[in-house]
Amino acid sequence: MPTPKNSAPAVAKAKPKKPAAPAAKPFLRFYHSAPLRAKTLQVLDAVESADKPTEHSGRLSDLILELTDAGMDRFFLQSLKATKANFVVQQSASLGLAGVQKVMGTVIRNIVGRMDDKQLLSVCGSIRQFMV
């Protein structure tokens, strides 16, 4: 039986994928750059292997801020760009986050700077759990 010239060929519909099995607890994860991962592992190793982890509190604070910056970029700024928001909106969001990060930086440095060895090691353990 002849087919009309302008009819599209039949295309099999793809089966919808099953959603992943839910984790024991809900979580969000973002992918960060390979250099940031290498830096993260280097700082964690330095803190965890130090006789006095408090000597590395500044490096750990900087790492926490860099990871926070990467997370905010991934979860907010890249999502905003995906909406194709106009340039002014994107710049406003970027400037607003820069201000937030400046304030957070001061607070995080003060908090981490006052932690003892055991607390710093606990923070390192938490970061490692996020990386799994």
Side-chain angles (χ1 to χ4, degrees):
M1 175 148 80
T3 59
K5 290 183 180 180
N6 53 348
S7 71
V11 176
K13 289 186 179 180
K15 284 185 175 181
K17 292 182 180 180
K18 282 187 173 182
K25 294 182 182 179
F27 66 93
L28 289 174
R29 177 176 291 162
F30 70 94
Y31 295 100
H32 54 290
S33 69
L36 181 54
R37 180 172 178 85
K39 180 180 181 179
T40 300
L41 293 172
Q42 180 185 24
V43 171
L44 294 178
D45 288 342
V47 174
E48 292 167 339
S49 65
D51 291 332
K52 270 307 260 170
T54 52
E55 293 175 354
H56 299 281
S57 63
R59 289 179 65 201
L60 185 59
S61 295
D62 291 343
L63 174 66
I64 292 167
L65 292 171
E66 198 168 342
L67 288 168
T68 302
D69 181 44
M72 284 185 181
D73 181 69
R74 178 67 184 120
F75 286 124
F76 184 69
L77 292 179
Q78 287 183 23
S79 298
L80 182 62
K81 288 177 186 175
T83 68
K84 300 196 187 312
N86 70 43
F87 178 77
V88 173
V89 170
Q90 289 184 37
Q91 286 301 103
S92 296
S94 186
L95 285 171
L97 282 180
V100 166
Q101 289 167 342
K102 190 171 186 173
V103 171
M104 280 179 37
T106 303
V107 172
I108 288 171
R109 281 188 179 85
N110 284 333
I111 291 170
V112 173
R114 293 180 180 157
M115 289 183 170
D116 62 25
D117 292 341
K118 186 177 176 182
Q119 292 168 322
L120 291 175
L121 292 173
S122 177
V123 169
C124 290
S126 294
I127 293 171
R128 285 197 186 273
Q129 284 181 333
F130 297 145
M131 294 174 72
V132 174

